[in-house]
Amino acid sequence: MNTMENSANVLIIYTGGTIGMKESSETGALVPMKFEQLTDEIPEIKKMGINIDSYAFNPPIDSSNMDPILWGRLAKLIKKKYMLYDGFVILHGTDTMSYTASSLSFMLENLGKPVILTGSQLPIGVLRTDGKENLITAIEIAAAQKDGAPIVQEVCVYFSSRLFRGNRTTKEDSEQFSAFASHNFPRLAKAGTDIVFNEDLLHRSKNKGIFNINTKLCDDIVVITLFPGIQEKVFKQILAIPDLKGVVLQTYGSGNIPTHPWLINSVKEASDNGVIFLNVTQCSGGRVMMGQYETSCELRKAGVVSGHDITIEAAVTKLMFLLGQELSIKEKKMHLDQNMRGEICI
Ligand code: ASP
C-alpha cells in the first residue's frame, strides 16, 4: 500500500532529548544541540518529498525537565498550526515521552491528525544512532494518508520500528533501542520494508466536533507506591499535604492493599474530604479489579476509582487533566472510570 501523498506538510517540533544531544567539550556530558545542527546530520529528510517545517524549543531540554506548563505550550502550538499541517512530529527525550504523549492525548480534543512523538537512545551524530530511522519513519507516518484522510488521528509514540498509542506506552528500557512497551494494548503499526498499520485499532474521536485544546491541568496530586512495611506516619503525612486534590495509589496485583485499618481509614477520611484516589496496579501488565480480593473491597467502598489497565503515565496525566476541569467530584470520578482517549479497556 502506498500510504504517502508527496505533497504532505509536516511540522517537526523539537523539544530536545538524546536524539539532538552531543558531548560537551568541557564536561563530556550530553547536552542538547540546536535543531539546525540536528537536521544537518540527516540530509535524507530533504529527499522525502514531504514539506517539512520546524519549530524548536529554545533552549532545547532534557525531557526530565518536561512539565505541565510545557505540555500546555505544545498543545497551543499544535492548535496554532493545526490547519497548516497534515501531521506533527514531536522530537522528545525518552525519559518522559510517555507522560507527554499521555497528557497531549487528553489536552487535544477531537484530534483528527497524527501527532507522533519520537526520539532516540543514541544521539543523531553517533554512527550507530537509532535516531535516523525513528525520525524518518515518524515523518512518514505523520504524512501517511488514505482516501484523502490521515491514517493516524491520535497521539502516538514511534520507536524502534513500532507505532504505539501514546497513552498506552511506558519507557521500560534505558539501554535497548526498543525503549518503549505498550503492555496492555497492541501496537498500531510495524515498520519493516513497509509500514503496516493495524487499522482496526486506530483511535477515532467519538465526537466529530472541531479540533480544540484544553490545557487546564491541576498538579496538586501525588503518586503513592505501596510497599510492604509502609509506615502509618508516612502515609498520613502525605495525605495531610495542604491542597492535595488527587492521589494515584499504586497498589499490588489486581488493585490490592494491606488490610491495616489505619490505611483504609486514612484513605476513606481523605476521600470524604474530597481527595480523589485512582487505583493503579504496580504490575506492568494486567488490570485493577477491585472486589476480586478482600484486600481491595474496602477501597471501592471508600470511593476509590479503578484505573483498570491504565499506565502510571496516563493515570497521572488523566488525573491532572480531570482535576483541572470545572466538574463536580462525582463527574471527575465518572470520567476517570471511563475510557476517554483509548487509554483504558473496560
Ligand atoms: N535524558 C534524556 C531525555 O529524556 C534521555 C533520552 O532522550 O533518551 O531527554
Side-chain angles (χ1 to χ4, degrees), residues 42 54 74 80 121 169 172 174 176 211 243 265 304 326:
I42 333 176
S54 65
L74 279 172
K80 193 167 157 204
Q121 293 283 57
T169 60
E172 66 161 8
S174 60
Q176 299 302 311
F211 170 71
D243 298 327
N265 289 340
V304 173
E326 308 260 319

Side-chain angles (χ1 to χ4, degrees), residues 17-18 62-63 93-95 120-121:
T18 294
D62 185 298
S63 78
T94 56
D95 288 348
S120 68
Q121 293 283 57

